[in-house]
Amino acid sequence: MDEEIAGAARQVQWKSYGKTLSLLAFQSFGVVYGDLSTSPLYVYRNSLSGRLNDYIDETTIFGLFSLIFWTFTLVPLLKYVIIVLSADDNGEGGTFALYSLLCRHAKFSLLPNQQAADEELSTYYQPGTDRTAVSSPFKRFLEKHRKLRTCLLLFVLFGACMVIGDGVLTPTISVLSAISGLQDPATSGLADGWIVFIACVVLVGLFALQHRGTHRVAFMFAPVVVLWLLGIGIIGLYNIIHWNPRIFVALSPHYIVKFFKRTGRDGWISLGGVLLAITGTEAMFADLGHFTAASIRLAFVGVIYPCLVLQYMGQAAFLSKNMSAVYNSFYLSIPSPLFWPVFVIATLAAIVGSQAIISATFSIVKQCLALGCFPRVKVVHTSRWIHGQIYIPEINWILMVLCLAVALGFRDITVIGNAYGLACIAVMFVTTCLMSLVIIFVWQKNILISLLFLVFFGAVEGAYLSAAVMKVPQGGWAPIALALVFMSIMYVWHYGTRRKYMFDLQNKVSMKWILNLGPSLGIMRVPGIGLIYTELVTGVPAIFSHFVTNLPAFHQVLVFVCVKSVPVPYVPVDERYLIGRIGPREYRMYRCIVRYGYKDVQKDDENFENHLVMSIARFIQMEAEESASSGRSYESSPEGRMAVVHTTDTTGTGLVVRDPVDDGGGTSQQLTRSSKSETLRSLQSIYELESVGSVSRRRRVRFQIDEEERVDPQVRDELSDLLDAKEAGVAYIIGHSYVKARKNSNFLKTFAINYAYSFLRKNCRGPSVTLHIPHISLIEVGMIYYV
C-alpha cells in the first residue's frame, strides 16, 4: 500500500515537472531563439555573394547545405546543448558566468576589495564542489603572474564588447532582411532607399519601446517565434518534395569535400556567410538564468533543430533548380499565396530576435559595471516579478544611433552580414577558450580533456573566424572598431578606479592615530548617525581624517559603509550585510559591508536605514553573547570581527518596532526626524512634501529597546545610543573626489587619468545617485587623489 502511494506521489511529481519544463521550453522561444530562428532570411544570400557566384551549380548548392547542416550540428547541438549548458553558475550562463566560476576556483579576480568572508556565501561554491582540491602547477602559474590575469580579464571584456557589437548588428540585419521581402517585383517592388527608410522607422520604434520592459509584450513573443519556426519548417519540407528530393544526399560530409575541391579559396571565404546560420547560438547559454538547461535543450532538440534543418534543406532544394534567385532566396522560395503572412511573421520574428539581443546587451553592461569596468549608468529594473529584467537608458539610445548609422551607412545586407558574422564567431571563440579553463579548474577534469575540447571546437570556430577576418575590408571592420572603442572605455575606467582604490589603501588612517584621539575623536560628537561611504573593506579611509580636520563636530554614531560586488550572480538577502566594529565599544564606530552579485540590481532600498540599525543592534547582541560564552572580548583587535547579519528576521536584536507608519500619505510627515530646532524640522517637512518621488517614499519606523528581554547594561547603553542617534537623523557622507595623475607620470598615464578617466567621471552618474542617497541628507567633501 505504501509503495502504491509513493508511486502515485512520484507520478504526480513527474507530471508537475513535465508541465513546468514544457512551459519554460515554450517561453524560451521568445527570449532565447528569436535571433537564431531568423537566420534563414540571409544565410544563403550572404554565402553565395561575391566570387562564389561563378561556381553556382547543384554540387555547390549541395556542398553549401552540407556545410550549414554540419556546422549547425557541431556548434549549437554538440558544443552548447550537450556540453556548455552544463557549465552554469548557480543557474546563470554567459561569458561572465564562466569568468566568475574561474575567479572563485582560482585566484584570477582583479576586483580589489575581496575578502575571505565572501567565500562563505551559500552561492559561492556549487553543491558537491571539492574545496580541498590539490593546486596544479598550471593553476599556480596563472595565479602567480598578474599580467596573465589582466590578459584574461581583457579577453573576457573583448567578448563582452563583441556582444555589444551584436546588439548593434542583430537588430539592423534582422529588420533589414525581413523588410527586404518588399523588393520582389511580384509584390511591391520597393527600391533600396525605401527598404532602408522603413527599416529605420521600425528600429526607432523598437528602441523607443525598450523602457516599457520586455515583460509587457513577452506574452506574444513565444507564439510568434513558434509560428515562424513551424511555418518555415513546413515550407522547407514542401520545397524539398516539390523542387529536389535528392537534397537528402547532401547530409553526407562527402559533399563538403567536393565543395572545397571545386571552389577552393573562394569557398573558404564563403564560410563567413555560412556561420550566419549559427548566429544567436550564444543566447542559449547567455539567457540561461531566465530558464533551465533542460527547458532550453528540449526546445532546441524538439523544435529548433528539425525546423531550421528542414528550412535550410528546402532553400537548397529550391536554389538547385532556381539558381538565379540567389539575391533573395528565402522570399522567392515561399509559395506566392503565403508571401504576405510569412512577411508579417518574419518582421515580427525579427523584432523579437532584436529585442532579445538588446536585453542581453543591457545585462552585459550591467555585469561590466559590477566588475568595475564600465562608467556608472542608470539601471532600471523593469519587472516586479522577473529578476534580471533591466533597462539602461544611455546604452539604449547609443545602440539606436549606432543601428541607424549601420543601416544608413552600409545599406547592404551582405556587408552587414560580414560584420555580424565576425562579432558572433568572436564571442563563440571566447566561450570555447573560457570553457576549456572551466573544464580544468571548475570541473577538475584532466588537462587532456580540456585540450581535446579546445582543439576540436577551436579548430571549427577558428576556420570560420579566419574566413570572417578575411572580410574585414568588406564591413568586418565595424565590430572591431566598436569593440576597440568600448574596450578603451572599459579599460580606462577599470584602470582609474583601481588606481583610486590603491591610493585609498596606501593612505589609510592608522588605528593608532584614531585611538590617540579618544572616544570623542578630538571633536564634538553631536546627535545622529553618520554613514561614511568608502570602497575599503578594512581600515579607515584617508577621507575620514580630511573630515575630522575640517569639521568641528561629528555624529555620535559613525558607520563606514562599503557597497561592493562579489563574483557570484546573486547574493541572498540574508547574507548581504557584513557588520563589524572599529575601535573600542565607547567609540561607537562600526563597519557595514553591503554585498551584491554581478546579476543583482541595486534597487532603491527604502528600508536601508532601518535594516542598518537592526543589523548593528543584532551585531551588538551577537558580540556580547559570544564574548560571554567564550570569556574573551573581541575588542582586543582594532578592527574587531565581521559577522553576517540577517536583515529579514528581527529576533535577537534587543529591539522592537514601534509606530511603523507606511509611505502612503501625509501621516509620514508626522514622523519627521526629531531635531532640537523647530526651524530645521519644518524645513525638512517641506522638503519631504516636495520630494514625493524619493524621500517621502521611505518607510518611517521607530525602535525601542525590548523591556521584556534581559539585556546586559553595557549592551543596553550602546543600543540606547544607537536609537537616540537614529531618532536624531541619518547623514550620508561621501567624498567628492578629484583624481589626478602624479607630476612624474608618463604621457600615457597622464592622458588616461587627467583626460580620459576625468571625462568619463564627469559624464557618468554620480556615486550618490547610483547609491540612491537622499539629497536632503547628503554631505559631500572634496578631496584630490594624486595617483
Side-chain angles (χ1 to χ4, degrees), residues 110-225:
L110 290 174
L111 288 173
N113 53 3
Q114 300 306 294
Q115 303 167 274
D118 297 338
E119 298 184 19
E120 302 302 318
L121 287 167
S122 59
T123 52
Y124 201 86
Y125 290 104
Q126 292 179 310
T129 301
D130 182 12
R131 303 189 189 187
T132 59
V134 179
S135 178
S136 65
F138 181 48
K139 181 179 177 182
R140 289 195 297 272
F141 175 76
L142 289 176
E143 290 177 341
K144 183 181 178 182
H145 294 82
R146 177 179 171 80
K147 288 184 179 178
L148 290 175
R149 288 185 285 138
T150 304
C151 288
L152 179 64
L153 175 63
L154 289 174
F155 191 59
V156 172
L157 291 180
F158 174 73
C161 291
M162 283 299 183
V163 173
I164 296 172
D166 278 352
V168 174
L169 297 165
T170 300
T172 312
I173 192 171
S174 298
V175 173
L176 262 178
S177 299
I179 303 298
S180 68
L182 297 176
Q183 283 180 311
D184 187 8
T187 54
S188 58
L190 285 181
D192 284 349
W194 281 106
I195 297 294
V196 173
F197 174 75
I198 295 171
C200 289
V201 171
V202 172
L203 286 170
V204 170
L206 176 65
F207 283 100
L209 290 173
Q210 288 300 312
H211 71 282
R212 301 186 66 84
T214 56
H215 68 283
R216 306 266 183 179
V217 287
F219 70 91
M220 65 168 282
F221 280 7
V224 164
V225 176

